[in-house]
Amino acid sequence: MTKIRHTFLLLAVILLPVMGYAQQFSFAFVTDTHIGGNTAEEDLRRTVADINANDSLKFVVITGDITEFGADNELKLAKQILDGLNKPWHIIAGNHDANWSESGSNTFRKVFGAETFAFTYNGYLFAGTSSGPNMRMGPGQVPRENIVWLDSVITNMKDPAMPVIYLNHYPQDSAQNNWYEALDRLKQRNVQLILCGHGHQNHKYSFEGIPGVMGRSNLRAKDSVGGYNIVTVANDTASFAVRKPLLESMPVWQKVALSNHHFNQDKITYARPSYGVNQKYDQVKTLWEYQDDSDVGAGTATYKNLVIATNTKGEVYALNSKTGKREWVFKTEGKIYSTPAVGHGYVVVGSSDNNIYGLKAASGKLAWKTVTSKPVLGSPVIHDKTAYVGGSDGHFRALDLRTGNVKWDFDQVKGFVVTKPLLYEGNVYFGCWNNDFYALDQKTGELAWKWNNGATNRMFSPAACYPVAANGNVFIVAPDRYMTALDAGTGQVQWREKRDSVRVRESMGLSADGKLVYVKTMDGQLYGVSTTADSMQLAWKSGLQLPYELAPSAIVESRGIVYVPSHSGMASAVDRQTGKVLWKHKISNSLMNPVMPLGKNQVVVSTMDGKISCLQFKPDNK
């Protein structure tokens, strides 16, 4: 029996009517293995050996955070260990596998065969979806394509009475920004239990009336060995007991009654995201909206009457800027998290299929393709008929815009690049997921200088912000909550500050006059930091107050308006001079990419759940 069951081979089995329901059975519930951590490999090997020695276990489910950093070598090691199991196993990704993935989550799909699983056992349907955030820090999210897949599985069940057990890495609540999309679909059927990980400890939940159980991490933490849960289904009850591998079984710590709750007849109203802000600021209207069936994990670009976008299905496509209708589409073979750049009639974009593409902007026709040895998740910048872009293969390249030929290639990047580089005073500046920040000579690609933030954890790298520069300094913010000003010519630290009252992360931008660096805090405030002061001087503050905020998307100023994206699908417009909030508009509840101004009083906004909207607003009457 194969260990990984692929979606299309399973559907025929899943959709068949089931004549009878469960006899007693047991399975292993493993989660948060974090391969790449100190003891993770030993802990997982021990668990595999223990599961193999237990003939009563019929299969294994593994619910995310398989690795520590989503690295290719970590994923391959996890697969090699799990291949030692002597019974079927089924696996999904968690935020650690997706948010810092050098492959744009492509390696998980290649190594394990799929991002989702569905199978039946003893009259139960088990359905699992992966979860992010994918490549961009924010709340958890079930990818749009996984939601579409789940909808297909649920909708096409031939036996609506079949009990359903749903698995996801996150708890199915507001810890995920689209928790309700999965729940609303599951409630159409006989969903009886939800299993999750993420919290590293055993815990019982109720997800809008659906019983839920979080499993402990497989890591040993402060104990001598790790552990996992053995789940036994019998007499309409699921019993959970921790197993300490190769040592002992602990007493049952939780029993969950399994029953048909008839949620499809439920009249109870549950909390859902509010869009009331759109009524408050009714000067904003949606001209058109496009709904993709996969994630839109990058910003947009514009060419004449076209809006150029990408998705995680691997497509680059153009929407009519007046109607939102698709005009052309070009397909790559990997997920795209690279914001396209447009110049001189060309679109340049990287793909996780190990290629950089040059397309004709008017038609989407392929002009050239440059092969790399790993995915390209970085966003390009075009200047003077040259495209500059970093990849996951340790290379940063300058390409001829018309041919794709490599003008120069810096091959000494120690981590992978996901950011949009900055061109300033003859240098190219960018960060990577190895705590390093680079300055390369724009003409030759030679290293001008390199700075390291000194962090011991790669997750604190200055990798996701779009750096800005003014008055001879380059400014960056990072997950370590420091803001840093570096001398653009030498890389010397001009100042570096961390304030508990101004908790910056990756979201930043430069004012049009170059006097301010806009920074958004984790507490939802928007400040302007002076570009001329010799310290982190707060020279401007807006009236904007958002809830807790994580979205790393860049802040943009255009025509005297500052546009601020959020992780809850809302764009805010702030007056540059007064700091007054001009308007807010919410298009979804998912992380928003950078806002793109589109002419006077129009902007294009997009979110990770595949929505792209063109908004038109009335100017503020001051």
Side-chain angles (χ1 to χ4, degrees):
M1 183 179 291
T2 59
K3 295 182 174 68
I4 303 298
R5 302 186 180 186
H6 296 280
T7 301
F8 294 109
L9 295 177
L10 284 166
L11 282 178
V13 175
I14 294 167
L15 305 182
L16 285 174
V18 177
M19 299 308 296
Y21 298 127
Q23 299 174 345
Q24 178 172 327
F25 64 96
S26 297
F27 62 93
F29 170 25
V30 182
T31 190
D32 293 270
T33 56
H34 288 275
I35 293 298
N38 289 337
T39 66
E41 179 181 351
E42 181 183 347
D43 291 341
L44 184 55
R45 290 190 185 279
R46 190 180 182 94
T47 290
V48 167
D50 190 74
I51 291 171
N52 285 345
N54 188 343
D55 291 338
S56 71
L57 297 177
K58 302 305 179 185
F59 56 87
V60 185
V61 294
I62 311 148
T63 57
D65 277 5
I66 311 306
T67 64
E68 180 67 8
F69 204 64
D72 290 357
N73 63 318
E74 293 174 350
L75 289 163
K76 290 172 183 175
L77 176 58
K79 175 64 159 53
Q80 180 256 314
I81 297 170
L82 292 169
D83 273 340
L85 286 166
N86 62 7
K87 45 186 62 72
W89 52 276
H90 312 271
I91 193 167
I92 50 177
N95 57 300
H96 274 256
D97 307 308
N99 189 50
W100 297 280
S101 168
E102 65 185 294
S103 70
S105 298
N106 259 10
T107 297
F108 188 95
R109 183 168 54 180
K110 290 177 180 178
V111 166
F112 294 112
E115 296 176 314
T116 58
F117 65 73
F119 66 95
T120 56
Y121 191 87
N122 264 24
Y124 282 85
L125 166 62
F126 290 78
T129 56
S130 289
S131 55
N134 291 331
M135 303 309 304
R136 313 269 309 287
M137 176 53 70
Q141 178 182 322
V142 179
R144 171 70 180 167
E145 51 264 48
N146 283 198
I147 291 290
V148 171
W149 171 87
L150 180 63
D151 185 73
S152 176
V153 170
I154 295 297
T155 301
N156 291 293
M157 289 177 65
K158 298 298 184 184
D159 180 8
M162 179 190 288
V164 177
I165 295 177
Y166 174 63
L167 304 94
N168 187 63
H169 178 63
Y170 277 85
Q172 210 60 29
D173 54 24
S174 57
Q176 292 200 122
N177 54 32
N178 63 343
W179 80 95
Y180 52 93
E181 292 200 69
L183 291 186
D184 288 348
R185 286 162 172 80
L186 291 166
K187 287 178 180 180
Q188 297 171 18
R189 294 294 185 253
N190 179 14
V191 58
Q192 298 191 355
L193 179 64
I194 293 177
L195 302 180
C196 68
H198 189 62
H200 286 220
Q201 59 185 336
N202 292 324
H203 189 74
K204 184 182 179 182
Y205 290 90
S206 174
F207 300 123
E208 298 185 0
I210 307 171
V213 173
M214 174 188 286
R216 60 152 293 166
S217 167
N218 190 66
L219 297 174
R220 68 184 66 178
K222 297 180 180 180
D223 205 346
S224 58
V225 296
Y228 64 97
N229 273 279
I230 292 178
V231 185
T232 299
V233 177
N235 301 319
D236 298 321
T237 300
S239 301
F240 293 78
V242 169
R243 172 70 183 170
K244 290 189 173 182
L246 307 181
L247 284 182
E248 60 180 331
S249 294
M250 307 301 290
V252 170
W253 66 270
Q254 188 61 247
K255 290 186 177 182
V256 177
L258 302 177
S259 65
N260 189 338
H261 297 272
H262 300 285
F263 289 114
N264 59 342
Q265 303 170 22
D266 195 351
K267 303 300 181 183
I268 300 175
T269 301
Y270 294 95
R272 294 292 181 263
S274 171
Y275 289 76
V277 68
N278 296 350
Q279 282 70 54
K280 180 178 179 181
Y281 296 97
D282 60 2
Q283 69 267 43
V284 184
K285 305 297 181 186
T286 301
L287 290 183
W288 52 261
E289 183 172 272
Y290 177 84
Q291 177 63 70
D292 208 312
D293 59 4
S294 59
D295 281 3
V296 172
T300 54
T302 183
Y303 174 76
K304 294 184 177 179
N305 67 330
L306 300 175
V307 172
I308 314 297
T310 62
N311 63 24
T312 52
K313 197 160 54 178
E315 295 175 334
V316 187
Y317 55 91
L319 304 177
N320 186 292
S321 62
K322 303 295 183 185
T323 66
K325 178 183 176 183
R326 265 202 191 197
E327 299 288 345
W328 58 254
V329 60
F330 177 85
K331 184 74 167 66
T332 77
E333 297 303 316
K335 298 184 179 186
I336 298 178
Y337 290 100
S338 171
T339 296
V342 176
H344 303 282
Y346 289 84
V347 176
V348 179
V349 67
S351 173
S352 60
D353 69 356
N354 300 10
N355 289 290
I356 305 165
Y357 292 90
L359 311 176
K360 293 294 183 66
S363 64
K365 300 290 186 183
L366 179 66
W368 52 263
K369 180 172 70 172
T370 299
V371 179
T372 63
S373 59
K374 280 193 172 183
V376 179
L377 309 175
S379 299
V381 166
I382 295 174
H383 177 73
D384 196 23
K385 299 180 182 179
T386 301
Y388 302 88
V389 63
S392 295
D393 56 359
H395 291 250
F396 191 98
R397 298 171 174 86
L399 306 177
D400 184 276
L401 182 59
R402 300 186 185 280
T403 65
N405 292 335
V406 178
K407 289 188 172 183
W408 54 255
D409 182 356
F410 178 78
D411 63 356
Q412 300 170 49
V413 181
K414 298 303 181 184
F416 60 99
V417 178
V418 298
T419 189
K420 182 179 181 179
L422 166 70
L423 306 181
Y424 181 70
E425 293 188 347
N427 283 340
V428 185
Y429 302 89
F430 60 93
C432 72
W433 283 114
N434 193 46
N435 298 314
D436 291 326
F437 188 81
Y438 293 83
L440 308 181
D441 185 280
Q442 188 174 330
K443 290 184 179 179
T444 67
E446 294 181 358
L447 180 67
W449 52 262
K450 181 174 75 169
W451 175 79
N452 185 283
N453 67 2
T456 57
N457 191 326
R458 291 174 292 179
M459 296 171 190
F460 290 154
S461 299
C465 74
Y466 287 8
V468 300
N471 299 310
N473 289 329
V474 177
F475 301 88
I476 55 176
V477 289
D480 60 5
R481 302 176 192 171
Y482 279 92
M483 185 171 184
T484 308
L486 303 170
D487 183 280
T490 67
Q492 292 297 310
V493 175
Q494 301 298 91
W495 54 261
R496 176 169 166 79
E497 293 191 34
K498 178 180 182 179
R499 298 188 188 179
D500 290 338
S501 60
V502 186
R503 299 193 301 162
V504 297
R505 278 196 67 128
E506 298 96 327
S507 185
M508 62 185 300
L510 186 68
S511 66
D513 58 14
K515 294 181 179 181
L516 299 175
V517 178
Y518 299 120
V519 292
K520 182 182 62 179
T521 72
M522 294 173 65
D523 301 302
Q525 298 170 324
L526 176 67
Y527 290 97
V529 178
S530 171
T531 59
T532 57
D534 59 3
S535 64
M536 187 179 171
Q537 184 182 110
L538 303 180
W540 179 88
K541 181 182 178 182
S542 81
L544 183 66
Q545 181 60 66
L546 300 172
Y548 179 74
E549 248 304 309
L550 287 174
S553 302
I555 299 164
V556 176
E557 181 188 333
S558 177
R559 300 174 184 260
I561 300 176
V562 184
Y563 297 103
V564 185
S566 77
H567 72 219
S568 59
M570 184 173 71
S572 300
V574 175
D575 185 273
R576 159 65 177 93
Q577 297 303 319
T578 67
K580 173 186 174 183
V581 176
L582 300 175
W583 54 261
K584 299 178 183 179
H585 193 83
K586 185 178 178 71
I587 70 165
S588 89
N589 203 51
S590 290
L591 187 146
M592 181 169 281
N593 300 306
V595 178
M596 184 180 73
L598 189 69
K600 189 176 182 180
N601 301 334
Q602 288 187 10
V603 294
V604 172
V605 292
S606 64
T607 51
M608 286 285 283
D609 59 349
K611 284 189 177 179
I612 305 174
S613 294
C614 180
L615 307 179
Q616 182 170 293
F617 57 92
K618 295 178 182 178
D620 184 49
N621 296 319
K622 298 179 182 179

